[in-house]
Amino acid sequence: MTADIHHDWTTERVEERYHLPLTELLYQAQTLHRRYHDPVAIQRCTLLSIKTGGCPEDCAYCPQSARYETGIERENLLDRSDVVATARRAREAGATRFCMGAAWREVHDGPSFDSVLQMVEDVAALGMEVCTTLGMLTAEQARRLKSAGLTAYNHNLDTSPEFYPSIITTRTYQDRLDTLRHVQEAGIAVCSGGIVGLGESARDRCAMLAELGRLDPHPESLPVNLLVRVAGTPLADAPDLDPIDLVRTVAAARIVAPKARVRLSAGRLSLSAEAQALCFVAGANSIFSGEKLLTSPNPSVDEDEQLVARLGLRFWT
Ligand code: SAM
Ligand code: DTB
Ligand code: SF4
């Protein structure tokens, strides 16, 4: 079924899908979802912020930027032993992937990066998929992460190229694409997606998905985050997003990258069970599990188990 998978997406082609009657859009997304995935299985990934706060970048959504007063305490890089202990607990709680995030603009070679490489080795040794999100990477740094056993690298495009400069000014869209290329060239799976609810238009969402759809190969995982509005950030008072627009974004992501794991990422605490259910119907097949994302709260493992049981779905083991 290679015709399902192509890399010539344009904004207009994505918009044609995004604006379909919802029933048609969901039918198309579901058709592809079940062709490439078990439609009842949801993966759980657990996040850990290994280096929190004090980030020099100005991402308007982010509580970890040093430019905004958000009450996030700046912390040094965590100890290797604490990280592996947290990963082990996440595995015991059912997560099959562990993602470590650092509030860095980019990776610098030196003792901190060396420690991260050891953490990657330790988590890989637990038999979990291991992901990191550390900011921009050079080709050589990507190769070192690969040698340490990294499964995937998360680096989001966040939004469309047109809307991007109203959200981030301290690095360019091209910088992001360059990092994704370094990751791909090192043979690491790319995890890349974006955020909805930033004040972007439907066209911006479709343009971002078209960018992701032009990556060859497509991202292995595609996180769709709903903005978590954090007091002190420029987007603290962004207007509510209609959850149906999130559902449309998830469905369009599933159609653009049929083989990707589409991850219903940040923002689930502000969604009803019914809205989350529609996202699963639309092709989301992965969530972040555990009470914290990087710095902000997330539904408890118990709540997620109840939701999945209520829907008759099951978690990956
Ligand atoms: N500093 C690295 C970077 O920006 O690439 C890695 C960590 S950064 C926190 C990872 C991603 O988290 C961002 O690209 C963004 O998509 C997402 N994110 C950050 N704050 C968020 C928020 N308040 N709501 C939703 N997603 C958010
Ligand atoms: C992604 O797309 N979402 C995650 C993960 N990749 C690193 C991060 C969400 C962060 C939400 C805000 C916070 O907890 O600080
Ligand atoms: Fe820094 Fe990443 Fe937050 Fe941007 S999203 S401010 S780069 S931690």
Side-chain angles (χ1 to χ4, degrees):
M1 290 291 179
T2 47
D4 295 340
I5 298 178
H6 55 92
H7 303 274
D8 55 356
W9 286 99
T10 60
T11 303
E12 291 69 28
R13 294 276 303 280
V14 181
E15 283 181 301
E16 281 167 17
R17 308 302 183 96
Y18 183 98
H19 292 291
L20 281 170
L22 191 69
T23 44
E24 293 288 349
L25 173 62
L26 293 186
Y27 176 73
Q28 290 192 13
Q30 288 200 329
T31 303
L32 288 164
H33 187 189
R34 62 187 46 241
R35 195 170 286 161
Y36 294 98
H37 305 267
D38 176 346
V40 306
I42 309 282
Q43 185 186 31
R44 287 185 286 192
C45 312
T46 293
L47 280 168
L48 177 65
S49 180
I50 57 169
K51 157 68 186 75
T52 304
C55 183
E57 299 295 273
D58 69 351
C59 312
Y61 48 74
C62 186
Q64 301 198 71
S65 166
R67 297 168 194 237
Y68 319 129
E69 282 295 330
T70 62
I72 297 289
E73 296 281 338
R74 189 186 176 133
E75 286 170 29
N76 292 332
L77 190 66
L78 296 183
D79 283 337
R80 178 180 176 182
S81 55
D82 294 340
V83 172
V84 74
T86 306
R88 197 175 282 118
R89 280 197 301 275
R91 188 182 65 176
E92 280 159 13
T96 56
R97 177 144 156 163
F98 191 68
C99 179
M100 297 174 273
W104 288 335
R105 167 183 166 76
E106 64 212 319
V107 170
H108 292 287
D109 293 322
S112 294
F113 185 44
D114 294 344
S115 301
V116 172
L117 293 169
Q118 290 181 329
M119 293 172 193
V120 169
E121 280 178 30
D122 290 349
V123 176
L126 295 177
M128 300 179 88
E129 294 179 356
V130 44
C131 178
T132 56
T133 180
L134 313 169
M136 294 187 284
L137 280 187
T138 64
E140 174 60 20
Q141 290 163 344
R143 283 193 288 273
R144 291 181 69 195
L145 283 163
K146 172 73 183 173
S147 309
L150 194 75
T151 312
Y153 192 80
N154 168 251
H155 198 63
N156 292 334
L157 292 182
D158 280 347
T159 192
S160 68
E162 295 76 25
F163 192 61
Y164 182 92
S166 26
I167 300 296
I168 300 147
T169 68
T170 47
R171 63 178 158 197
T172 66
Y173 213 76
Q174 189 57 48
D175 290 332
R176 294 201 180 235
L177 291 167
D178 290 346
T179 291
L180 294 181
R181 185 168 39 81
H182 296 152
V183 171
Q184 274 182 341
E185 285 172 0
I188 299 169
V190 164
C191 170
S192 189
I195 313 183
V196 296
L198 302 170
E200 77 289 346
S201 63
R203 187 172 174 86
D204 290 313
R205 289 173 213 132
C206 294
M208 175 187 82
L209 291 173
E211 289 282 343
L212 294 166
R214 285 193 293 269
L215 296 179
D216 189 2
H218 289 149
E220 172 253 7
S221 76
L222 199 165
V224 179
N225 295 276
L226 171 62
L227 175 69
V228 178
R229 289 171 291 200
V230 180
T233 63
L235 291 172
D237 300 316
D240 281 341
L241 184 81
D242 178 352
I244 297 300
D245 290 331
L246 171 67
V247 173
R248 287 186 179 279
T249 306
V250 168
R254 170 55 66 221
I255 292 168
V256 165
K259 286 187 178 167
R261 295 182 201 161
V262 176
R263 187 165 304 127
L264 179 58
S265 300
R268 288 194 300 117
L269 272 181
S270 58
L271 293 174
S272 67
E274 292 80 4
Q276 293 186 66
L278 268 180
C279 289
F280 298 135
V281 171
N285 60 351
S286 171
I287 57 172
F288 284 122
S289 173
E291 297 212 350
K292 216 164 166 200
L293 293 163
L294 290 172
T295 65
S296 63
N298 192 48
S300 69
V301 173
D302 282 355
E303 280 172 278
D304 284 341
E305 283 181 349
Q306 282 164 24
L307 175 63
V308 156
R310 209 178 140 196
L311 303 180
L313 303 178
R314 62 175 171 74
F315 288 121
W316 272 30
T317 45

